Each structure stands twice: as C-alpha cells, then as structure tokens.
Amino acid sequence: MSLLFSFSVIVLVFATTFTEETIGYILSFNIFFLLLAIGFRILALILWGLRIVLMSRSLGYRVGLLYSLNMVLAGLLAGTITPGQAGGEPVRVHELFRAGVKIGDATAVVIMERVLDGIILTIMGIIIMLMTREMWSTFSTSLIILIIVAWVFLMSFLFIPFLAIRYPSKMKYLILRFISWITGKLSKTRLSSSRICACADTEIDNFFESITRFTGSSGWGLIAGGGATALFWITEFLVASVILMGLGLEPYIVLSFFFQILIAIIMMIPTTPGSSGITELSTSSLYALIVPAGMLGIFVLLWRFVTFYLNIILGTIAGMFIVHREIKTRADNNEEEQEEAEPETK
C-alpha cells in the first residue's frame, strides 16, 4: 500500500507536468549529484544512530554505533508500512532492550528523540519563516491548515516529559489502566494479565526516572542528542538541494529547508503507511514554486528514492540481520533448555 500510494502520486505528478523538455532534463541529470545525495542521506542516518548512542550512554548504557545504525535502518523499514512512520519507535525500543537497556529507559530514549525533533524543527522553522515571510501568501488555505494541524501534532510530544515529571502518579495510573484493558482483550497471550501489569509497573517507574534524569544528572545526553539532532536535520535537508543542483538549478538552500521542515512535520501525522502519497503531494505542491514544471516529476522521484525507497532497501538488509540474530538466539535458548531438562529426566 505504501509503495502504491507513492507511485500513484509520482505518476500523477509526471502526467500533469510532463513537457517536451522533460526527456532532456532526465538525460542531462548529473548522476554524481545523486550519489552525493545518497551520501548525505547515509551521513544523516549515522548522526541519528550517534544520537541514540549518546542519549543511551548518559543513562549508563553502552550501545555500539554500528548496532545503533542497524536499529535505525530497521526502524525506517517499519516506518514505511505504518501511519506517520510510527512503527520505527517500537523497533528501536526492542533493539535497545536487546542491547541491555531496560524497556522503560529505552522508551524514554525513543520518546525524547521525538521531543528533540520537535524542538529542533520548531526552532529551525521559526528562524526560516522569519526569513521567508513572503512565501506564506503563495500557499493555499488547505495546505496552511494541514501545516498547522501537523505542527500541533508534533508539539504534542513536548508535553510527554512535562506530564511525566509533573504528574507521575496520575500518568502511571492511566497507563496501567490502559495496559490492563489491552491485556484483557488479548486472551491468547502467553503471559497472564497480572504478570504483564507487574512488569509494566516496574518499567513505567524506569521510564519516569529516565525522563527525570534527562532533565537533571543525564542532561548532557539531552544536550548532545540535541546537537546530533540539529546536524541530522541539516544533513537530511541538504539532500534536496543536492538533487536540485544535479538538475542544473540553484540549490535554494533557505527555501528548500523551509519546504522540508513543513514536509517533515506533515509526515509525522498518522495518515497513510509511511506517509506515502501525502509526502509526494506536499513536495510537489511546495517545490512547484521554484522547480520548472517539466522538472518537477523528476525531482520528486529522485528525492523520494533517496529519502523513501532507499529506506526500504537498507531497512530490509538491516531487518535480515535482526531476524537472523533472533532465530539464532531462540535456537540457542532451546538447546540450553533441552540440556537442563536432560539431567532431570535421567
């Protein structure tokens, strides 16, 4: 479904913007700039992995950079098939848990990632909006409404650490009630409802403690993570400018950053799987202001290849490593259980 939405919109963009010059634009595109864009994208993903390493280390855990990068790539694959790319968060929590991080602490790291994204994107957005105030008059009313809704949704993540610190008891009670309701519906689970709630009670305490530590003794991890987040988004946003240069256009760095901040915020709304379709529509609507009509379809296709289709390729490879590890771990556990059972049988 994700690929179908994306391809459908790109075909629509090509159909509505195709001109006699389009073939010439395709043949004249400099492949070097595509490779450079992919390089920037990979560097951005490494910075994302570094953010997880730094934030985990501030809580007392040592997570390797390569391991962290692999979990980021696997999370991207999960994000392509879930609304608002929300599937990446559970994958990263699971992988942090496999690296020895408590579930509550891992959840705190992943949630604070979203909080840092919200803070950095908001700061960058305010600065660039002040620099490009005249652009708002060219936006349609529906696009402005979509941007406002997306921004409100993004800013809602900032309330999570505030509520966790300000009202820990009430928040814990509500979360446990919700977990109890969920486990009551899952009658076929291997664990009993009481055991799940007992585990959740412990991990919720770990989560609240980690959130509090991020605002206190582990604050350096939040600051370092914020620096890595800023570098991540700057590197990520340069991808579009590099592709524009490959098409023979100006990089339009300020305007391109402005457009991509809006697109990044819209992508966080839980709509279609991987926000596909919505992202292509938003991109074509915004970049139509600076990209010639005959180039628009090529630009959207190349940009989505680097920022979306490449996620599927790299995420599949990373996911295979995880699946292989999980199979091997389970096989080893079964062997140990059999060895322990044999003496008892004898």
Side-chain angles (χ1 to χ4, degrees), residues 136-156:
W136 284 93
S137 60
T138 63
F139 294 168
S140 64
T141 304
S142 58
L143 182 59
I144 292 176
I145 292 173
L146 181 61
I147 291 168
I148 293 172
V149 170
W151 217 307
V152 170
F153 178 79
L154 175 64
M155 294 300 291
S156 65

Side-chain angles (χ1 to χ4, degrees), residues 25 29-30 242-249 291 295 298-299 302:
Y25 292 144
F29 179 77
N30 192 334
V242 171
I243 292 174
L244 289 173
M245 292 170 65
L247 290 168
L249 300 174
V291 176
M295 279 188 184
I298 308 169
F299 169 77
L302 291 173

Side-chain angles (χ1 to χ4, degrees), residues 63-201:
V63 181
L65 180 58
L66 289 178
Y67 183 89
S68 182
L69 177 60
N70 193 77
M71 81 170 74
V72 167
L73 295 175
L76 288 176
L77 177 62
T80 61
I81 60 175
T82 51
Q85 303 181 349
E89 278 77 6
V91 171
R92 294 198 297 280
V93 170
H94 174 270
E95 286 302 284
L96 284 170
F97 172 69
R98 286 299 193 194
V101 182
K102 295 177 182 177
I103 293 177
D105 295 342
T107 304
V109 169
V110 171
I111 287 180
M112 292 308 292
E113 281 188 285
R114 283 273 190 168
V115 171
L116 288 174
D117 286 337
I119 293 173
I120 296 300
L121 288 175
T122 299
I123 293 173
M124 292 175 64
I126 291 172
I127 294 172
I128 294 179
M129 277 194 297
L130 293 174
M131 298 170 63
T132 58
R133 282 175 291 184
E134 67 280 0
M135 291 297 298
W136 284 93
S137 60
T138 63
F139 294 168
S140 64
T141 304
S142 58
L143 182 59
I144 292 176
I145 292 173
L146 181 61
I147 291 168
I148 293 172
V149 170
W151 217 307
V152 170
F153 178 79
L154 175 64
M155 294 300 291
S156 65
F157 281 92
L158 301 180
F159 288 100
I160 295 176
F162 170 77
L163 294 173
I165 296 171
R166 187 71 177 83
Y167 306 105
S169 300
K170 292 181 180 179
M171 287 293 294
K172 181 176 180 178
Y173 172 76
L174 291 174
I175 295 172
L176 285 175
R177 284 289 301 271
F178 176 73
I179 292 173
S180 179
W181 179 78
I182 289 291
T183 54
K185 299 293 182 180
L186 302 176
S187 57
K188 294 183 179 180
T189 182
R190 291 182 298 173
L191 298 175
S192 66
S193 177
S194 58
R195 185 177 175 185
I196 292 175
C197 289
C199 293
D201 183 83

Side-chain angles (χ1 to χ4, degrees), residues 17-39:
T17 61
F18 191 87
T19 63
E20 294 180 356
E21 294 84 11
T22 300
I23 300 298
Y25 292 144
I26 294 174
L27 296 175
S28 63
F29 179 77
N30 192 334
I31 195 68
F32 167 77
F33 287 97
L34 177 61
L35 298 176
L36 185 60
I38 293 173

